[in-house]
């Protein structure tokens, strides 16, 4: 019997996920302001319409047989003298047909009624229009203004590739208005049976500037999470985005500028805290050198399930305010409310030191949903939940306007990459914002959310012990510490992933 060939031993590569398990994951949401300006545009439209049927027949005949006798034309259509006289008056009055010595010829105006490639004659009239229209200053494409709220008006602005060139935008409106004419046409023009074409753009006058929020969602393949992809589908349809490549480029530049170095943001220290706060949940992923991030990432991608009574801690990928994560965290809160007799006065958020964290109205909306969920669980409570943000460094305006209270510190004992969310005695979440699979790149949020009593107690204690740099006022400090440490702090076992 011939020897069977020995199977080849293939070493496993360093890929984060094998190709058959790869998938797209959402890693970020940002709202940014698109710079725009209003312009008064004066233009003319050509209103196209058909000629009457009898005149059409006559014009087509005269075009086919130049110089045809009037009697022959009448005989061709079977017209009586009064009928041919009526049609001839209709043709000669506007100057479409010329009568000479009993014969008929088309004038240049009559010949112009036959557009190139068309067999039927058509007439048109010209009407003037004047409208105030909004255009963005990047792609010079139509953008209607809308009211923006206090959070939106403090968001960052998309960068202009040539800020000094914005004054020349008015010159380009002539061409861009023609390009987008049918998108910009008035409703009454679009609804008319008669077709309307742009005849000319006569004058463009720049007016007030304004800004419009644009939502950017960041995705990546799970096999390469530190290489983000931009999705503007929440703002406009795909075919409209393809007409605005400059905006896509500006969004990509902005996200590319968010790259961080894992060492600089203290990623290792942040992962250590992540494991210390939920040791039972992460014990399978902890080695002598610390948390095996790549292995936990693979597990989280494949098993980012919903919480259950027997699954008190669940993996989280992406910021807490994505639609999917906000829904998952609120379900965690619902479970925590079942065993909590004490209603919280505050909800705490420890901000990571990553640029544009919380730069979206979805952060505010998530906090609003959280308030309503807790209020519904305690309808007799009159105290409204206050959202407190502990922010190392100087907070951006949109953070100030998202939270009820923002407490800043020049430095703290919290790793820069670490984010923590606490609904005292009910639920907590912790995320590390750092590149995965590379030493530098996009800061990928990875962590967990939990209503496990032990995890909640440890997380509250961790923040309470580091509260002093953020709160130097003794009475307020003691009040916040009491909010974090009061109640049952029993340490129960944690659920496994």
């Amino acid at each position: 019997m011939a020897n069977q060939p020995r199977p080849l031993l293939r070493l496993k590569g360093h890929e984060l996920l094998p190709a058959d398990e790869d998938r797209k994951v959402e890693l970020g949401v940002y709202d940014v302001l698109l710079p725009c300006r209003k312009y008064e545009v004066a233009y003319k439209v050509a209103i196209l319409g058909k000629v009457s049927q009898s005149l059409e027949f006559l014009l087509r005949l005269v075009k086919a047989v130049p110089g045809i006798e009037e009697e022959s034309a009448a005989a061709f259509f079977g017209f009586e003298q009064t009928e041919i006289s009526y049609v001839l008056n209709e043709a000669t009055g506007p100057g479409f047909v010329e009568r000479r010595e009993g014969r008929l010829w088309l004038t240049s105006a009559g010949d112009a009624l036959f557009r190139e490639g068309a067999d039927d004659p058509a007439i048109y009239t010209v009407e003037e229009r004047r409208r105030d229209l909004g255009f963005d200053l990047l792609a010079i494409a139509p953008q209607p203004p809308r009211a923006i709220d206090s959070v939106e008006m403090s968001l960052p602005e998309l960068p202009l590739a040539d800020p000094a060139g914005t004054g020349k935008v008015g010159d380009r409106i002539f061409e861009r208005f023609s390009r987008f004419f049918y998108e910009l046409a008035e409703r009454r023009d679009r609804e008319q049976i008669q077709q309307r074409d742009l005849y000319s753009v006569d004058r463009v006058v720049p007016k007030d500037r304004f800004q419009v929020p644009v939502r950017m969602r960041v995705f990546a393949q799970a096999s390469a999470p530190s290489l983000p992809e931009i999705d503007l589908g929440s703002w406009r349809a795909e075919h409209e985005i393809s007409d605005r490549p400059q905006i896509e480029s500006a969004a990509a530049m902005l996200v590319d500028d968010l790259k961080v170095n894992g060492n600089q943001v203290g990623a290792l220290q942040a992962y250590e805290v992540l494991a210390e706060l939920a040791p039972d949940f992460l014990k399978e992923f902890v080695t002598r050198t610390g948390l095996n991030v790549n292995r936990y990432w693979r597990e989280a991608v494949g098993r980012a399930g919903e919480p259950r009574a027997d699954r008190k801690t669940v993996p989280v990928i992406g910021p807490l305010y994505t639609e999917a994560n906000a829904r998952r965290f609120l379900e965690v809160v619902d479970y925590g409310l079942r065993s909590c007799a004490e209603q919280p006065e505050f909800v705490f958020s420890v901000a990571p030191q990553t640029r544009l964290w919380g730069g979206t109205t979805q952060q505010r909306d998530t906090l609003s949903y959280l308030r309503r969920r807790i209020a519904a669980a305690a309808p007799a409570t009159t105290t409204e939940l206050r959202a407190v943000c502990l922010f190392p460094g100087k907070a951006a305006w949109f953070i100030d306007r998202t939270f009820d209270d923002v407490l800043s510190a020049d430095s703290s004992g919290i790793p820069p990459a670490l984010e923590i969310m606490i609904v005292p005695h009910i639920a907590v979440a912790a995320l590390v914002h750092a590149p995965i699979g590379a030493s530098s790149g996009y800061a990928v949020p990875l962590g967990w959310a939990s209503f496990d009593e032990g995890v909640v107690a440890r997380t509250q204690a961790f923040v309470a012990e580091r509260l002093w740099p953020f709160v130097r006022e003794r009475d307020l400090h003691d009040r916040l510490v009491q909010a974090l440490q009061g109640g049952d702090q029993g340490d129960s076992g944690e659920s496994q992933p």
Side-chain angles (χ1 to χ4, degrees), residues 451-490:
F451 63 95
D452 184 283
E453 294 85 348
V455 177
V456 171
R458 277 190 293 273
T459 306
Q460 292 177 173
F462 175 85
V463 173
E465 293 168 1
R466 292 158 179 80
L467 195 58
W468 183 248
F470 297 94
V471 188
R472 295 286 181 172
E473 182 184 336
R474 174 60 66 180
D475 290 343
L476 178 59
H477 175 272
D478 292 346
R479 183 182 174 193
L480 296 179
V481 169
Q482 176 61 29
L484 286 168
Q485 293 185 337
D488 183 11
Q489 299 181 50

Side-chain angles (χ1 to χ4, degrees), residues 68 70 193 211 223 337:
I68 187 173
E70 294 183 13
I193 297 176
Q211 296 170 312
S223 57
L337 284 168

Side-chain angles (χ1 to χ4, degrees), residues 38 48 50 53 59 67 103 151 153 203 206 231 235 254-255 309 315 328 337 375 381 412 433 445 450 459 461 473 495:
K38 288 183 181 178
L48 305 178
K50 294 285 187 181
Q53 190 174 45
L59 292 171
R103 293 179 179 274
V151 174
M153 68 177 57
R203 187 177 67 259
D231 185 341
W235 172 54
L254 187 146
V255 171
R328 181 176 292 111
L337 284 168
T381 303
S412 70
H433 295 249
S450 178
T459 306
E473 182 184 336
S495 57

